[in-house]
Amino acid sequence: MTEQPSIIDSMNALRAALAPVVARQMEVIRRVHTAMRPLIEHAKQHPEVWEQWRRERDAEAQLGSCHCLCGIHREQAEGVCTGQAEPGLTVRFDSPTVGPTDVPMCRSCSKVNVERRMAALPIDC
């Protein structure tokens, strides 16, 4: 019968296995911090530029982002999604969890979606 390793031995093995991962992550964090330092200094010296950036991001947030499935199904709609929903442009989906839902979409994704739905309609002559 073989002896099971103790919980202490298992924890030490886990710690040893994670040590290189943590070291690499700390190096990435240091690089990001070093890269951000000039941006932080610029923001301190030129708050008007950053305020303009904030206003633009807020305006984009009001518009909303496209919630189509291009990001998941790239092979079906490669290069279609612009990422920004058009005001008032939605496509109705019947969600199994919440029922009929209007999903914001960009103009390109909406067009592709409508074309796909039209192609799937049975045509009675």
Side-chain angles (χ1 to χ4, degrees):
M1 202 169 172
T2 60
E3 187 177 318
Q4 292 282 345
S6 73
I7 190 75
I8 305 270
D9 292 338
S10 296
M11 291 299 290
N12 287 336
L14 179 61
R15 184 178 294 124
L18 288 175
V21 173
V22 172
R24 282 192 299 269
Q25 291 300 318
M26 289 305 296
E27 179 56 31
V28 169
I29 290 169
R30 278 189 215 94
R31 287 183 191 166
V32 168
H33 180 263
T34 301
M36 287 184 65
R37 195 175 288 157
L39 293 172
I40 293 167
E41 289 303 316
H42 188 269
K44 287 178 185 175
Q45 295 170 6
H46 304 283
E48 69 284 353
V49 172
W50 294 93
E51 186 54 39
Q52 174 65 26
W53 180 82
R54 278 190 205 95
R55 282 194 301 273
E56 290 171 4
R57 298 300 76 75
D58 289 347
E60 287 177 2
Q62 292 297 319
L63 187 59
S65 60
C66 181
H67 291 187
C68 70
L69 301 177
C70 292
I72 298 169
H73 302 287
R74 292 195 190 286
E75 71 281 355
Q76 295 176 11
E78 188 172 342
V80 172
C81 185
T82 65
Q84 290 298 314
E86 292 284 329
L89 185 57
T90 62
V91 175
R92 181 159 285 232
F93 285 98
D94 191 15
S95 167
T97 53
V98 296
T101 306
D102 291 326
V103 177
M105 290 203 175
C106 68
R107 189 164 303 284
S108 300
C109 290
S110 176
K111 179 181 174 194
V112 168
N113 186 278
V114 168
E115 288 170 358
R116 282 188 195 143
R117 288 181 179 208
M118 293 297 285
L121 289 176
I123 299 176
D124 294 334
C125 295

